[in-house]
């Protein structure tokens, strides 16, 4: 992803420009959200779930609207608009409700009754306040489920800065949520990267960003300077490792889908296939036969053209595609064989309908290559030997490993979606993601009526008492008999001092 502003992923075409908000607009949105959040955080989880369930059912009933919006703003085909954007809100609310209920349950802490008499302690996870979400264009609705829903369910308010390339599609989601929530709790701040920067400066309590490594680093620095947590996902270069014993028909179908779904414009798209050289010819031939029958393309981006031309110049074989479709901004699905690490198409994120095939001697070589990548989001292993795949998965230095499938876990709230290296350390989904939205608050209850032994004033009796307690931890018990008298003496001293 090559964009340089706080927009989310790189642009699909011309931006749909909205009036550019100033810093004052962002501050007003955050202030309004904060007022609403003060009431919302006091609502029980059951009430939050009920409100978002109503909103999710509305989203499902009106799914034709978002399918049309996504088609208009970014050219998303109807089937992907339905399955990728429109179909998931209700199941996502249910999934997140289960995660939040378990992960945020009050945790009791046992205290030693000798050292801490008549005391009780517990830990609650409480909302941070206002969460700013800087959203990408490639999944303008579904990409927001993973941040807005857990943020709201844990008692936060949200202000979403959509990509300027899909402002209406993302706003459609937030507006449908807002209709079931207190006024101001869920808002949209439109604009380009400057609006994203203004949102971070406006006093938010946490930030979620999806976009390029270059911009993600800026977001992390800006948030760090303001002392707020940031969950930053910065792209991927996902690989499929195709082993010699794979089910070739299923592997070809699966790799095709996850390479070309959303026209390859997904951080979890398969962009490289490390194929065991013993099945490479058969794999490439089967892929070519399938891809030549496909009729899809993506809005042409300079980075796609540049990477394909670089690969061609360095000796890659263009099996199919490799050029614009000639229809608008379309670029044909492109399969490149005999690629290597010298090529940009192997090193850098492509974000388009291009798959680079790298022939390897076996699993070990493929794993070394994946672990050497600048990105570390996901990898899939394709093999009939699932037990071996489990062992190989332990050697992969990525955030998500699939065996005989790829990337679908991004839609499962209970499973963390995260990465390493230039993908960033942000976590979406799973209880591990909640640290962006909640913070721990410890509460200690003391029912004692007398003073604590260690309180002022300090005297020789306190020093002797502490020394005996230290020896007792070392099982030196010869002076333990003196403890009751020293304790009575200390309490008497403190009471007399403060009377």
């Amino acid at each position: 992803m090559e964009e340089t502003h706080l927009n989310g992923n790189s642009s699909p075409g011309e931006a749909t420009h909205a009036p550019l908000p100033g810093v004052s607009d962002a501050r007003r949105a955050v202030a309004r959200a904060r007022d609403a959040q003060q009431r919302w955080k006091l609502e029980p989880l059951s009430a939050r779930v009920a409100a978002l369930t109503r909103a999710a059912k509305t989203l499902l009933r009106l799914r034709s609207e978002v399918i049309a919006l996504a088609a208009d703003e970014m050219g998303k085909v109807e089937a992907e608009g339905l399955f990728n954007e429109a179909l998931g809100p209700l199941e996502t609310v249910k999934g997140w409700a289960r995660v939040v209920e378990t992960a945020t349950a009050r945790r009791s802490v046992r205290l030693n009754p000798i050292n801490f008499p008549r005391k009780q302690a517990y830990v609650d996870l409480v909302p941070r306040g206002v969460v700013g979400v800087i959203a990408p264009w490639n999944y303008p609705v579904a990409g927001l489920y993973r941040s807005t829903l857990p943020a709201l369910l844990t008692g936060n308010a949200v202000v979403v800065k959509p990509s300027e390339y899909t402002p209406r599609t993302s706003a459609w989601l937030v507006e449908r949520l807002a209709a079931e929530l207190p006024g101001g709790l869920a808002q949209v701040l439109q604009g380009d990267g400057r609006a994203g920067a203004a949102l971070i400066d406006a006093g938010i309590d946490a930030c979620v960003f999806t976009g390029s490594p270059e911009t993600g680093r800026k977001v992390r620095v800006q948030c760090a300077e303001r002392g707020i947590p940031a969950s930053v996902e910065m792209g991927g270069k996902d690989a499929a490792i195709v082993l010699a014993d794979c089910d070739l028909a299923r592997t070809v179908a699966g790799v095709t889908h996850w390479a070309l779904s959303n026209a390859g414009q997904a951080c979890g798209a398969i962009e490289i296939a490390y194929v065991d050289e013993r099945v490479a010819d058969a794999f490439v031939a089967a892929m070519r036969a399938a891809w030549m029958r496909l009729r899809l393309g993506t809005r042409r981006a300079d980075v796609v053209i540049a990477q394909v031309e670089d690969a061609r110049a360095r000796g890659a074989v263009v099996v199919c595609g490799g050029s614009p479709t000639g229809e608008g901004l379309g670029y044909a699905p492109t399969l490149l064989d005999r690629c290597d690490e010298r090529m940009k198409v192997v090193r850098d994120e492509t974000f388009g309908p291009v798959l680079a095939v790298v022939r390897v001697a076996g699993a070990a070589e493929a794993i070394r290559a994946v672990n050497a990548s600048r990105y570390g989001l996901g990898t899939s292993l394709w093999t009939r030997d699932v037990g071996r795949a489990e062992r190989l998965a332990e050697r992969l230095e990525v955030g998500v490993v699939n065996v005989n499938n790829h990337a679908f876990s991004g839609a499962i709230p209970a499973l963390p979606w995260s990465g390493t290296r230039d993908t960033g350390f942000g976590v979406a989904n799973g209880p591990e993601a909640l640290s962006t939205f909640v913070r721990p608050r410890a509460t200690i209850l003391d029912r004692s009526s007398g003073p604590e032994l260690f309180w002022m004033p300090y005297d020789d009796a306190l020093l002797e008492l502490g020394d005996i307690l230290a020896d007792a931890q070392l099982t030196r018990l010869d002076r333990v008999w003196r403890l009751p008298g020293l304790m009575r003496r200390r309490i008497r001293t403190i009471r007399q001092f403060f009377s």
Side-chain angles (χ1 to χ4, degrees):
M1 290 172 282
E2 300 297 329
E3 45 76 35
T4 57
H5 299 295
L6 308 192
N7 301 326
N9 298 337
S10 54
S11 68
E14 294 299 320
T16 303
H17 291 289
L20 182 65
V23 174
S24 59
D25 298 302
R27 287 177 178 162
R28 280 194 294 271
V30 171
R32 186 168 176 244
R34 193 173 304 285
D35 286 343
Q37 191 266 340
Q38 295 302 307
R39 302 185 300 276
W40 179 248
K41 71 179 182 181
L42 301 178
E43 294 285 343
L45 177 60
S46 58
R48 299 175 197 159
V49 172
L52 290 171
T53 297
R54 292 193 301 270
K57 289 180 178 178
T58 299
L59 293 169
L60 281 171
R61 283 195 300 269
L62 302 178
R63 59 189 179 273
S64 61
E65 294 181 5
V66 74
I67 293 170
L69 282 169
D72 182 56
E73 286 196 311
M74 61 170 295
K76 192 175 289 261
V77 298
E78 184 178 3
E80 292 186 349
L82 174 60
F83 280 89
N84 294 350
E85 306 292 345
L87 203 56
L90 188 56
E91 287 302 312
T92 305
V93 169
K94 292 178 180 178
W96 267 119
R98 290 190 291 268
V99 171
V100 170
E101 181 178 24
T102 300
T104 63
R106 176 172 289 180
R107 177 171 61 89
S108 296
V109 178
R110 183 187 178 278
L111 301 178
N112 186 318
I114 302 300
N115 296 336
F116 307 104
R118 295 181 59 78
K119 294 172 180 59
Q120 175 189 356
Y122 55 84
V123 178
D124 293 314
L125 296 180
V126 299
R128 291 191 180 273
V130 180
V131 178
V133 179
I134 300 173
W137 61 263
N138 58 326
Y139 290 98
V141 170
L144 291 177
Y145 294 161
R146 296 187 300 186
S147 52
T148 55
L149 293 180
L152 291 165
L153 284 170
T154 50
N156 297 280
V158 295
V159 179
V160 176
K161 204 298 285 183
S163 168
E164 65 267 40
Y165 299 101
T166 52
R168 292 181 292 128
T169 311
S170 292
W172 180 88
L173 168 68
V174 180
E175 289 162 4
R176 300 292 85 71
L177 295 176
E180 296 291 346
L181 300 172
L185 193 72
Q187 298 177 65
V188 174
L189 182 73
Q190 297 285 10
D192 61 10
R194 289 167 290 181
L199 178 58
I200 296 174
D201 284 338
I204 58 175
D205 302 292
C207 179
V208 178
F209 169 86
T210 304
S212 72
E214 294 75 20
T215 305
R217 282 189 282 270
K218 295 176 185 177
V219 169
R220 287 165 56 181
V221 169
Q222 191 177 356
C223 290
E225 289 175 343
R226 285 147 189 80
I228 62 173
S231 178
V232 175
E233 183 190 320
M234 302 184 294
K237 188 74 180 174
D238 278 15
I241 297 176
V242 179
L243 301 181
D245 68 340
C246 71
D247 179 331
L248 188 62
R250 177 178 170 82
T251 300
V252 168
V255 172
T256 294
H257 177 80
W258 292 111
L260 299 180
S261 178
N262 212 49
Q265 297 168 134
C267 56
I270 295 176
E271 295 195 356
I272 307 174
Y274 291 103
V275 184
D276 190 302
E277 58 194 12
R278 289 171 290 180
V279 294
D281 286 343
F283 174 82
V284 171
M287 291 286 284
R288 181 183 185 279
W291 284 37
M292 290 294 287
R293 297 195 304 273
L294 291 172
R295 292 292 181 267
L296 74 158
T298 182
R299 293 179 181 237
R300 189 174 70 212
D302 290 343
V303 66
V304 175
I305 297 170
Q307 286 191 10
V308 171
E309 292 309 310
D310 173 76
R312 196 195 308 261
R314 295 179 184 274
V317 177
V318 180
V319 178
C320 63
S323 63
T325 63
E327 299 177 7
L329 297 174
Y331 195 89
T334 298
L335 182 63
L336 302 173
D337 191 11
R338 301 190 181 277
C339 296
D340 60 49
E341 69 281 354
R342 298 172 303 145
M343 302 172 185
K344 294 178 181 178
V345 77
V346 173
R347 299 195 313 266
D348 300 331
E349 187 173 36
T350 307
F351 222 67
V354 177
L355 179 68
V357 175
V358 179
R359 297 177 178 230
V360 294
E365 184 180 346
I367 290 171
R368 283 194 299 271
V370 169
N371 292 344
S373 169
R374 64 179 289 206
Y375 293 102
L377 181 56
T379 300
S380 52
L381 292 150
W382 300 82
T383 173
R384 286 187 170 90
D385 190 341
V386 174
R388 181 192 181 206
E390 285 189 274
R391 296 190 295 273
L392 293 174
E394 296 177 0
R395 297 164 55 187
L396 287 163
E397 297 169 3
V398 298
V400 183
V401 180
N402 275 275
V403 176
N404 295 323
N405 216 317
H406 197 91
F408 72 92
S409 65
I412 301 176
L415 287 172
W417 178 268
S418 64
T420 61
R421 301 184 292 278
D422 272 3
T423 292
F425 52 75
V427 181
N429 291 348
E432 298 82 359
L434 293 181
S435 62
T436 303
F437 309 117
V438 295
R439 60 176 179 81
R441 182 182 64 202
T443 301
I444 302 94
L445 307 177
D446 194 335
R447 294 180 172 86
S448 302
S449 57
E452 300 290 333
L453 297 174
F454 58 87
W455 285 357
M456 296 179 181
Y458 302 148
D459 59 13
D460 291 341
L462 176 63
L463 293 175
E464 185 179 359
L465 189 150
D467 200 43
I468 293 172
L469 290 174
D471 278 349
Q473 293 183 60
L474 298 171
T475 65
R476 297 171 182 169
L477 307 178
D478 56 307
R479 292 188 294 163
V480 169
W481 63 272
R482 291 183 53 79
L483 284 177
L486 288 169
M487 294 166 68
R488 288 193 297 271
R489 179 178 165 187
R490 280 293 299 157
I491 291 173
R492 185 168 57 250
T493 297
I494 296 168
R495 282 177 169 164
Q496 288 175 350
F497 184 84
F498 285 101
S499 65

